[in-house]
Amino acid sequence: MAIYATTRLRLYILSTALLLAGAIIIDSTFLAPALLLLSLPVFSYMAIELNYKILKSIKVSGSVTMESGGRFFAEYTIINPSRIPILPVEFSIQYSELIKLVKGSKRGLLIIPPRTKVKLRFSFHGRLGEHVVGPLKIVLRDLFGFYRSSDEYLGKALVVNIPPTVEEVIVRKLLIYARSTGLVKSRIPGEGVEFYDIRDYSPGDEAKRIVWRIYASRRMLAIWEPEKEAFQPVLFILDGTREMWSGPMGQSMIEHSARIISSIIYYLVKRGYPVSATVFNESLVYTSGRPMHGYHGYMEALRALSKVRFEEGDELHRRRALSGVLSYTYTRILPRDRSIIFLFTHLRDTIIDEIATWNNLYKDKGHILYIVHPLITAYESDGDVPEWVANIYRVKLIEGLREDMAVISRARGRGLKVIAVTPDLIPQRVMDIIERYSS
């Protein structure tokens, strides 16, 4: 650890030196006070050196407690085992730029009494994905402010993964929509317990399935055939590149998309569909793996979605990342059976060719790829925005929608299947497609 002199020390030494010179030249009665004042920086330096030695012996532990609504608490416990207090310590907490500190101080002064522990508790309003809180950055200072140490770090960084929330409103709408429109999974003959049809007896059929009523009336053997429900593998790919993070907290494209995906997956696993979720950014790909049934498939999908994180990158990085995730899905995740893939992204001209190339490869294998482009037509406001600012925002939003529709039109001209509606209409459109292809 390095110790630096502050500007205050330089001014203090200058004024004390003038006092000492005056005591020597003019009046010797000021000599003792001048020497006493001159010794203060020496004692301050010794104190900060002692504090640093004690600092090396302290123990720091951190923990995270999750709450509903994306809120979480991060707590650091600092234990001083020595008999000497550490004072004062200037601390600051490091955390990801996408989360908001709502309770607790980002910076402050801390005194650590001897043989005791101090807890620092911070409350955050989080966003979708993986975020980092900590470590604690501290700077040692003496009581007079003559010296400061170099930046030191206490504890480990705490990693927080925030999954998307399942919106009960969406799930309820899907249930009502399915009942009102008569959407049900297609049924085919196979192993099961429900009745499907009656057909002529074939050698090898089980005797317990013979319909004796038909034999008694027609003198011919017939058997009843059970049915099984057709389960269409459904895969979701979420674009987590920088383009998708634009927008107010909780209302960006990626957050809208993640809530929709998690709600649809929750609904699908309740109905028996195998599901898979993959999320990617400029440098990493996270996936739940091959499509899975039931609660396990749902939890793995949420776990994958909670791994997304914000990174800086340009369109070139985005195009490479998109090509990489489509290649990974094609070679590692897609099952042999026909599957439906929904890619949630913000279309740009720079990525249309890449998607079109992979769309042809998917189509050759019998898979169906849909591009889901959420159209954000408005953002919620807290009402504190001036009217002229709101008007400028509306103009910009309309211009952005016009550009989006032009890009979507060009993508459809390349043969891509694009769902371009507002977020509240996406779940019904997705379920329409899934039911249409289930067979």
Side-chain angles (χ1 to χ4, degrees):
M1 179 190 72
I3 299 176
Y4 305 100
T6 63
T7 304
R8 179 180 296 181
L9 176 63
R10 298 186 184 96
L11 296 174
Y12 179 85
I13 291 177
L14 178 61
S15 59
T16 305
L18 291 174
L19 180 62
L20 182 61
I24 295 173
I25 298 171
I26 301 173
D27 189 351
S28 61
T29 57
F30 293 102
L31 183 61
L35 291 174
L36 179 63
L37 291 175
L38 197 61
S39 65
L40 285 180
V42 177
F43 289 114
S44 295
Y45 187 87
M46 295 171 61
I48 200 171
E49 283 278 8
L50 178 62
N51 273 346
Y52 176 67
K53 291 180 180 179
I54 301 172
L55 189 68
K56 291 191 295 184
S57 66
I58 68 172
K59 299 176 182 179
V60 181
S61 60
S63 63
V64 174
T65 304
M66 298 298 301
E67 289 195 342
S68 60
R71 287 180 175 265
F72 66 92
F73 290 96
E75 184 176 273
Y76 280 95
T77 303
I78 305 172
I79 302 175
N80 179 9
S82 71
R83 297 185 179 183
I84 304 174
I86 303 177
L87 68 152
V89 178
E90 182 182 295
F91 75 90
S92 62
I93 182 71
Q94 316 293 304
Y95 55 87
S96 301
E97 58 184 314
L98 292 182
I99 58 179
K100 183 179 180 182
L101 180 64
V102 295
K103 190 174 181 181
S105 178
K106 184 177 181 179
R107 296 181 180 87
L109 289 176
L110 181 66
I111 296 176
I112 309 175
R115 292 192 172 182
T116 188
K117 62 182 178 181
V118 174
K119 290 187 177 182
L120 296 176
R121 188 174 175 86
F122 308 92
S123 176
F124 293 92
H125 186 192
R127 300 180 72 172
L128 167 76
E130 184 173 284
H131 308 282
V132 177
V133 177
L136 289 172
K137 185 174 76 172
I138 66 163
V139 175
L140 293 177
R141 293 185 182 273
D142 62 286
L143 292 173
F144 302 100
F146 294 149
Y147 301 98
R148 71 178 298 276
S149 69
S150 57
D151 294 343
E152 298 291 327
Y153 294 92
L154 294 181
K156 296 181 179 179
L158 306 174
V159 179
V160 184
N161 294 101
I162 302 178
T165 56
V166 175
E167 296 191 349
E168 291 297 331
V169 174
I170 295 179
V171 178
R172 196 176 300 114
K173 282 183 178 179
L174 289 177
L175 287 170
I176 296 173
Y177 180 69
R179 291 171 183 172
S180 62
T181 57
L183 287 177
V184 293
K185 293 194 293 295
S186 302
R187 299 180 181 275
I188 58 177
E191 294 299 325
V193 295
E194 299 294 330
F195 174 77
Y196 176 75
D197 197 4
I198 293 177
R199 62 172 176 83
D200 292 340
Y201 175 84
S202 298
D205 287 335
E206 296 179 350
K208 66 180 181 180
R209 292 184 180 177
I210 296 176
V211 184
W212 297 107
R213 183 179 66 257
I214 295 178
Y215 178 77
S217 61
R218 301 181 186 178
R219 294 298 176 180
M220 58 178 294
L221 290 176
I223 67 166
W224 70 274
E225 191 169 19
E227 67 179 2
K228 69 175 182 180
E229 292 182 332
F231 298 106
Q232 182 76 53
V234 184
L235 291 81
F236 296 91
I237 303 175
L238 177 58
D239 183 353
T241 56
R242 189 180 186 278
E243 179 81 18
M244 295 286 287
W245 289 94
S246 60
M249 187 172 188
Q251 301 180 56
S252 62
M253 272 193 177
I254 189 169
E255 288 164 302
H256 276 302
S257 300
R259 287 193 293 266
I260 291 169
I261 291 173
S262 62
S263 301
I264 294 176
I265 287 178
Y266 180 82
Y267 174 76
L268 289 175
V269 297
K270 289 288 186 181
R271 295 188 59 187
Y273 284 91
V275 296
S276 173
T278 301
V279 64
F280 70 98
N281 61 12
E282 285 81 357
S283 61
L284 297 170
V285 175
Y286 296 99
T287 179
S288 63
R290 291 184 177 272
M292 292 178 283
H293 292 270
Y295 181 76
H296 180 64
Y298 165 70
M299 291 305 298
E300 288 298 319
L302 286 189
R303 189 173 292 111
L305 293 174
S306 70
K307 293 287 187 178
V308 64
R309 64 179 184 226
F310 175 81
E311 288 186 7
E312 293 288 347
D314 54 20
E315 281 296 316
L316 177 60
H317 291 94
R318 186 177 185 227
R319 188 168 67 249
R320 289 175 178 172
L322 183 61
S323 177
V325 74
L326 290 175
S327 173
Y328 185 86
T329 303
Y330 182 79
T331 56
R332 301 285 187 87
I333 300 176
L334 282 176
R336 293 182 180 179
D337 300 333
R338 183 182 67 182
S339 304
I340 306 176
I341 305 99
F342 294 97
L343 170 61
F344 283 70
T345 188
H346 187 199
L347 280 172
R348 294 289 189 189
D349 287 322
T350 53
I351 62 175
I352 289 178
D353 291 340
E354 200 71 41
I355 298 176
T357 300
W358 283 104
N359 180 54
N360 293 331
L361 291 174
Y362 281 39
K363 191 186 299 182
D364 291 341
K365 292 291 186 179
H367 304 295
I368 304 114
L369 175 64
Y370 274 86
I371 314 301
V372 183
H373 183 121
L375 295 178
I376 309 300
T377 57
Y379 291 118
E380 294 179 4
S381 173
D382 56 8
D384 296 332
V385 179
E387 185 63 25
W388 65 272
V389 175
N391 290 333
I392 294 175
Y393 157 74
R394 293 187 190 101
V395 172
K396 291 290 186 181
L397 188 61
I398 292 172
E399 290 177 355
L401 285 173
R402 189 179 294 116
E403 292 176 2
D404 286 350
M405 295 309 299
V407 173
I408 290 166
S409 178
R410 288 190 286 271
R412 286 170 174 163
R414 291 294 309 274
L416 296 178
K417 297 180 175 67
V418 183
I419 302 173
V421 292
T422 55
D424 59 311
L425 296 177
I426 290 176
Q428 291 92 328
R429 294 290 182 90
V430 170
M431 284 310 305
D432 276 342
I433 294 166
I434 294 173
E435 297 291 353
R436 186 192 316 159
Y437 285 103
S438 294
S439 60

